[in-house]
Amino acid sequence: MSKKSISQIKEEFEQADAAQLESLYEIYGSDERSGVQKLIGAYRKKAEAMQKERMRLEAMRSFEHKYSDKHGGTYSLICGIDEAGRGPLAGPVVAGAVILPDDCEILYLNDSKKLSPAKRELLYDEIMEKAEAVGVGMASPARIDEINILQATYEAMREAVSNLGVSPQLLLNDAVTIPDVSIPQVPIIKGDAKSVSIAAASIIAKVTRDRLMVQYDEILPGYGFAQHKGYGSKEHIEAIRRLGPTPIHRQTFIKNFLV
């Protein structure tokens, strides 16, 4: 039996890399102390979860690998595109465009709707740090009223691509084909859950828009923009009826609530 304390053994596990962990499992596998066995079990479980997460991410790279010149495809700069805010009653629609390095690892990257706000914030920072290029585009509530939400979304997406700073060779889009774009496009149904590039773009768009709605809440108090982010919650609709619309409300979206 090891004469080391459990706390000393735990420190060894905390400082070990994957290869060293396997050695530690062998060294302490026969230690009969329940604390040591629980420690080994916890680290094995953690390693299995990490392996599962990396396999999930690898599956989410399937579209990038299919088209990448590093994996037998044609393109070197592949851009994911997604939007946030098509449904709210207030605020802009925001599009994100992201080019990630080949085989870039951003653990827990996923469709922004499947992530907590805190997790999205952390991933936003990591995407901004690791991406080759990030672009953001917006269409205002007035523009949405002028040309309709679908055309405004397309406009925001085109702006996001133009703001990348580099010219992508292929666009991976979440479900749509953007008109008036000469770059080849691949629309992917539920792409924000199937492509790392689109997932990254969805997070950039969502966090950018959410931060903006928090700022609007400070400028236009009483509507609860920081909480519902402009979506049609019961509280939001009641505030519109009580206080009237603001300049950031989409008139074509709220007209039925003002009757």
Side-chain angles (χ1 to χ4, degrees), residues 236-249:
H236 186 192
I237 293 169
E238 288 176 352
I240 294 170
R241 287 172 171 161
R242 185 176 70 254
L243 303 172
T246 71
I248 69 163
H249 278 102

Side-chain angles (χ1 to χ4, degrees), residues 61-133:
R61 293 190 189 99
S62 61
F63 286 99
E64 284 78 4
H65 285 179
K66 178 179 179 180
Y67 297 104
S68 171
D69 58 1
K70 295 181 176 65
H71 298 269
T74 306
Y75 306 100
S76 60
L77 292 175
I78 298 173
C79 175
I81 299 177
D82 201 6
E83 53 72 29
R86 285 181 67 170
L89 306 179
V93 61
V94 178
V98 177
I99 300 175
L100 294 175
D102 185 62
D103 289 332
C104 173
E105 181 175 271
I106 300 177
L107 295 172
Y108 310 109
L109 186 62
N110 208 337
D111 170 8
S112 64
K113 296 184 290 297
K114 297 180 179 180
L115 301 167
S116 68
K119 192 64 179 176
R120 285 196 296 263
E121 288 283 346
L122 290 172
L123 287 169
Y124 176 96
D125 292 340
E126 189 170 357
I127 292 164
M128 294 298 290
E129 178 185 341
K130 293 182 176 180
E132 291 190 13

Side-chain angles (χ1 to χ4, degrees), residues 154-165:
Y154 290 150
E155 197 168 88
M157 288 177 167
R158 288 191 291 268
E159 182 181 336
V161 173
S162 69
N163 286 337
L164 280 166

Side-chain angles (χ1 to χ4, degrees), residues 106-254:
I106 300 177
L107 295 172
Y108 310 109
L109 186 62
N110 208 337
D111 170 8
S112 64
K113 296 184 290 297
K114 297 180 179 180
L115 301 167
S116 68
K119 192 64 179 176
R120 285 196 296 263
E121 288 283 346
L122 290 172
L123 287 169
Y124 176 96
D125 292 340
E126 189 170 357
I127 292 164
M128 294 298 290
E129 178 185 341
K130 293 182 176 180
E132 291 190 13
V134 174
V136 173
M138 299 186 195
S140 69
R143 187 61 172 160
I144 292 168
D145 288 334
E146 181 182 356
I147 62 175
N148 77 48
I149 184 60
L150 180 60
Q151 296 306 317
T153 300
Y154 290 150
E155 197 168 88
M157 288 177 167
R158 288 191 291 268
E159 182 181 336
V161 173
S162 69
N163 286 337
L164 280 166
V166 297
S167 297
Q169 298 169 328
L170 180 72
L171 306 181
L172 301 181
N173 307 337
D174 186 26
V176 301
T177 299
I178 309 166
D180 303 319
V181 172
S182 60
I183 304 166
Q185 303 179 59
V186 178
I188 303 169
I189 303 298
K190 296 184 178 178
D192 45 11
K194 297 177 181 177
S195 157
V196 289
S197 301
I198 298 176
S202 78
I203 291 168
I204 294 297
K206 177 65 174 167
V207 172
T208 299
R209 189 181 188 282
D210 283 358
R211 289 177 178 178
L212 189 59
M213 295 308 295
V214 170
Q215 293 175 2
Y216 281 137
D217 189 60
E218 296 176 1
I219 299 168
L220 301 164
Y223 293 86
F225 291 132
Q227 285 72 46
H228 53 65
K229 306 300 189 291
Y231 283 87
S233 67
K234 180 182 177 181
E235 294 77 13
H236 186 192
I237 293 169
E238 288 176 352
I240 294 170
R241 287 172 171 161
R242 185 176 70 254
L243 303 172
T246 71
I248 69 163
H249 278 102
R250 304 171 184 180
Q251 300 302 317
T252 51
F253 280 44
I254 66 169

